[in-house]
Amino acid sequence: MNQASERNWARNYRYAALIVHPTSIDEVQELVAAASQVRALGSRHSFNAIADSPGILLALGRVDNAIVIDPAAMSVTVSGGTTYGTLAVELERQGYALHNLASLPHISVAGAIATGTHGSGDQNGSLATAVTALEIVTGSGELLRVSRASTPDFAGMVVALGALGIVTRVTLDIQPAFDVRQFVYENLPWTSVLENFDAVMSSAYSVSLFTDWQGESADQAWVKSRNDDFAGESEFFGGAPATKGRHPLPNISAVNCTEQLGVAGPWSERLAHFRMAFTPSNGEELQSEYHVPREHAVAAIEAMRTLSDRIAPLLLVSEVRSIAADDLWLSPNFERAGVALHFTWKPEQAAVEALLPALEAGLAPFAVRPHWGKLFHADAELLATRYRRFNDFRALADRLDPAQKFRNAFLERTVFGRVRV
Ligand SMILES: Cc1cc2nc3c(=O)[nH]c(=O)nc-3n(C[C@H](O)[C@H](O)[C@H](O)COP(=O)(O)OP(=O)(O)OC[C@H]3O[C@@H](n4cnc5c(N)ncnc54)[C@H](O)[C@@H]3O)c2cc1C
């Protein structure tokens, strides 16, 4: 056991719970059965109190880290604590791939799917959409096996915020390995980007825009081409090709970024923005992210540009990504294709939190849904109006966790607190 007082990756949150490192699933079951309050801790990359527990936290990094590929089912099963980076290297080595990765490969599989973590791409659902089965230790300590094919409420169990139990194993869809080429373009005029927004975002397998919301152009577009679906044009919606590797932030070396300049290479080394070999143990940044329906993307971007004078003093960089719709009850992309407006903030938490209500008000006309793992202001009463299956999720949690062992203050504020019925 470790003493309480350990912090998250961004070091803006100190866990109140005692962190325990079980080494087997049997031990996880025993610890859960014996605890009155318990939750799982992933790789600590969330920026808020979502993971914490008033009791103990189980970190699964030492539990059975086998990676089991089933070529017939085209699936892979891993321990919940496995990181995407470790998984991606092994899948690539054996000739397989995942459909997408987040910007950073160091996050755990169970932690990422629990919050609806995503990459970019019009046809790419969040990472949770690849989940075909879960093994969950419920409050009694029993192992519950659920699957997309055979469990009626499975769509409520994947993006579950850690509220249903400890996910010990995750099974994911895989596909044959593929190559990706990454191109970066600079200074894309907003007039061109916004007039052609659908064409911009659908021009390749994965497209991201980086901006500080100021001025008349978006700073960079990162275009990830699969099977040469994008040829590397000499101009991209008014933007010019970068002539050397770029970091999303100005004046920072691209040495830790995945390979660019159109050089073909494995999906595992191109779909994330940052290299696996680059392992930042902590970050000098905070993050927020807001999902809006695709049809409101241009209006939402314009709304953020009108707030740029308030955003800029606190901002390091923003990223705009697209995500396909899914059927996962608490996914920010539930029943709607979306665009995510991401903010990497300077580590000035009080000032950032003071600004978030204004951002959320600016995006409210678009039924905005926040990223569960980043800083946001909305509470359960508001979020209940943004998710059609919100009350079904609450009922599912009551059924699977009747003793409320997996609750915490964050979930009381954002999910289980008072809602209008
Ligand atoms: C540098 C950086 C880059 C990021 N990039 C992206 C990005 O590109 N796209 C994006 O969408 N997000 C991104 N994020 C956010 C991040 O992906 C999410 O916060 C994610 O949830 C972090 O996973 P984790 O393993 O660190 O989970 P933690 O932060 O440790 O926990 C998150 C939640 O998952 C639950 N959980 C963890 N493990 C289990 C388990 N075994 N069983 C049940 N519940 C569990 C926890 O209880 C908690 O509720 C980024 C974060 C950072 C710091």
Side-chain angles (χ1 to χ4, degrees):
M1 284 194 190
N2 288 346
Q3 292 301 309
S5 87
E6 292 199 44
R7 290 192 278 179
N8 64 344
W9 178 88
R11 294 204 279 192
N12 68 315
Y13 187 78
R14 194 179 289 280
Y15 300 105
L18 201 61
I19 300 171
V20 182
H21 298 268
T23 54
S24 69
I25 292 177
D26 286 348
E27 196 183 344
V28 173
Q29 293 180 265
E30 283 162 23
L31 285 163
V32 171
S36 58
Q37 295 278 279
V38 53
R39 287 176 58 77
L41 181 63
S43 54
R44 310 183 187 196
H45 284 84
S46 293
F47 293 86
N48 56 34
I50 188 170
D52 212 351
S53 165
I56 57 170
L57 272 174
L58 305 187
L60 302 189
R62 296 178 197 166
V63 174
D64 162 33
N65 55 8
I67 294 175
V68 181
I69 294 173
D70 180 341
M74 284 303 274
S75 69
V76 63
T77 299
V78 293
S79 161
T82 306
T83 66
Y84 274 97
T86 302
L87 173 58
V89 167
E90 182 59 14
L91 285 176
E92 166 64 21
R93 195 182 68 79
Q94 297 202 38
Y96 297 100
L98 298 168
H99 77 287
N100 211 358
L101 293 170
S103 63
L104 195 74
H106 308 82
I107 51 179
S108 82
V109 173
I113 64 169
T115 62
T117 289
H118 60 91
S120 192
D122 277 9
Q123 307 304 318
N124 296 326
S126 76
L127 303 185
T129 60
V131 178
T132 65
L134 295 171
E135 186 183 85
I136 308 173
V137 177
T138 61
S140 61
E142 278 168 273
L143 263 191
L144 178 68
R145 293 195 173 84
V146 295
S147 72
R148 191 198 274 161
S150 61
T151 308
D153 289 338
F154 186 71
M157 298 177 177
V158 186
V159 181
L161 319 179
L164 306 181
I166 312 294
V167 172
T168 44
R169 284 204 179 91
V170 184
T171 304
L172 300 163
D173 284 321
I174 55 174
Q175 51 187 277
F178 54 90
D179 272 359
V180 169
R181 296 201 292 153
Q182 181 162 237
F183 302 87
V184 173
Y185 292 86
E186 298 171 332
N187 301 322
L188 294 78
W190 276 120
T191 46
S192 171
V193 170
L194 297 182
E195 269 166 30
N196 302 288
F197 190 76
D198 285 338
V200 170
M201 299 309 286
S202 65
S203 58
Y205 188 67
S206 164
V207 177
S208 292
L209 301 172
F210 288 96
T211 178
D212 60 7
W213 307 108
Q214 295 199 301
E216 295 308 314
S217 54
D219 303 331
Q220 297 179 32
W222 286 33
V223 183
K224 299 177 196 268
S225 157
R226 175 176 176 171
N227 296 336
D228 294 326
D229 63 357
F230 177 84
E233 316 295 340
S234 57
E235 181 248 325
F236 185 68
F237 298 96
T243 51
K244 57 179 183 147
R246 290 295 313 269
H247 189 281
L249 284 166
N251 308 320
I252 294 197
S253 159
V255 64
N256 296 324
C257 297
T258 48
E259 179 110 28
Q260 303 166 18
L261 299 170
V263 179
W267 65 279
S268 53
E269 296 173 12
R270 301 288 188 283
L271 287 180
H273 296 336
F274 298 101
R275 291 177 196 270
M276 184 61 190
F278 158 63
T279 310
S281 56
N282 64 275
E284 297 295 319
E285 63 182 61
L286 300 171
Q287 296 185 9
S288 302
E289 190 164 27
Y290 295 108
H291 292 256
V292 296
R294 175 61 176 258
E295 63 271 25
H296 297 310
V298 170
I301 289 170
E302 281 170 344
M304 293 302 95
R305 291 184 70 211
T306 63
L307 289 170
S308 68
D309 286 350
R310 295 182 64 188
I311 294 171
L314 294 172
L315 189 74
L316 290 172
V317 71
S318 270
E319 181 177 7
V320 178
R321 289 178 279 188
S322 63
I323 306 104
D326 62 48
D327 66 348
L328 305 174
W329 301 355
L330 287 193
S331 161
N333 308 106
F334 177 63
E335 294 187 332
R336 67 188 207 197
V339 164
L341 309 180
H342 162 91
F343 299 80
T344 301
W345 303 111
K346 295 175 186 169
E348 297 177 26
Q349 183 145 355
V352 168
E353 288 195 343
L355 177 62
L356 296 183
L359 293 197
E360 293 178 28
L363 296 171
F366 318 120
V368 59
R369 296 171 178 165
H371 190 305
W372 292 106
K374 304 187 180 182
L375 297 178
F376 64 91
H377 178 72
D379 62 10
E381 188 166 11
L382 182 65
L383 293 173
T385 67
R386 306 267 162 88
Y387 287 93
R388 187 172 62 78
R389 303 296 302 267
F390 204 78
N391 281 331
D392 293 330
F393 180 79
R394 289 162 52 114
L396 179 64
D398 284 344
R399 181 158 62 81
L400 289 184
D401 180 27
Q404 303 192 355
K405 279 190 182 187
F406 300 110
R407 303 279 174 98
N408 64 13
F410 174 92
L411 293 179
E412 290 304 324
R413 176 175 78 80
T414 60
V415 179
F416 296 112
R418 195 171 72 86
V419 300
R420 275 189 294 270
V421 278

